[in-house]
Amino acid sequence: MPVQVILRDDVANLGKIGDVVRVKPGYARNFLIPRGLAVDANPKNLRVLEHQKRLIGAKAEREHKTAEAVARRVQGIKLTVRARAGEEGRLFGSVTNMDIERLLAEKGVQVDRRRIALDEPIKQVGTYTITVQIGRAVRAAVELTVEPEPD
């Protein structure tokens, strides 16, 4: 029998902050509530929800502004990577989102590698535009140039 919980944070494939959702009891008891992602939707918590919605709205606004500031710093950064390549410009290895995370960290921007949108590792010399998800609705583009290492 499903139970109702109030989400305290966005949960993928479930809902956004402040939503009242029905979930299986084990999911609520073992995952959502212990991690602070949700609280039980009892009458007391439902009354508190209105106040929480105002606080959550302010928190979301602050996070959005912070994300926009980071996006302005990230937008237009040009990264260069040198990698061993064959005659056709094909790399002997590949450039992954972990490499891009490290390059951004060297430029002073901390971004989680899971937020770097790279469909598949880069295996060819060239210039690529890579999207970085900074916040919920904030993205920035980074230009990555992959150059062959001089022999």
Side-chain angles (χ1 to χ4, degrees), residues 19-113:
D19 288 351
V20 177
V21 295
R22 297 178 80 80
V23 296
K24 292 186 177 184
Y27 185 53
R29 182 178 57 246
N30 298 323
F31 183 77
L32 295 174
I33 294 172
R35 286 179 171 75
L37 298 174
V39 293
D40 188 34
N42 59 31
K44 177 187 172 207
N45 286 340
L46 288 171
R47 281 193 306 273
V48 172
L49 176 62
E50 292 306 315
H51 176 66
Q52 293 285 340
K53 279 188 176 182
R54 286 192 299 275
L55 295 177
I56 289 168
K59 175 186 170 191
E61 183 66 29
R62 281 193 311 273
E63 287 176 355
H64 184 70
K65 285 182 181 178
T66 303
E68 283 181 337
V70 171
R72 280 194 295 275
R73 284 182 31 217
V74 171
Q75 186 70 33
I77 286 181
K78 295 183 186 336
L79 303 173
T80 304
V81 125
R82 290 186 183 272
R84 291 186 52 216
E87 292 179 18
E88 305 273 321
R90 187 143 173 84
L91 300 180
F92 287 124
S94 62
V95 179
T96 64
N97 55 359
M98 290 175 62
D99 298 321
I100 297 167
E101 176 188 30
R102 182 180 43 78
L103 290 168
L104 285 170
E106 288 173 5
K107 297 272 187 178
V109 179
Q110 296 296 326
V111 176
D112 185 21
R113 67 179 167 80

Side-chain angles (χ1 to χ4, degrees), residues 7 10-16 21 23 27:
L7 297 180
D10 288 352
V11 179
N13 300 324
L14 189 58
K16 297 182 187 259
V21 295
V23 296
Y27 185 53

Side-chain angles (χ1 to χ4, degrees), residues 5 43 54 62 91 98 115-117 120 123 137:
V5 294
R54 286 192 299 275
R62 281 193 311 273
L91 300 180
M98 290 175 62
R115 296 202 173 259
I116 298 171
E120 56 188 39
K123 297 182 180 187

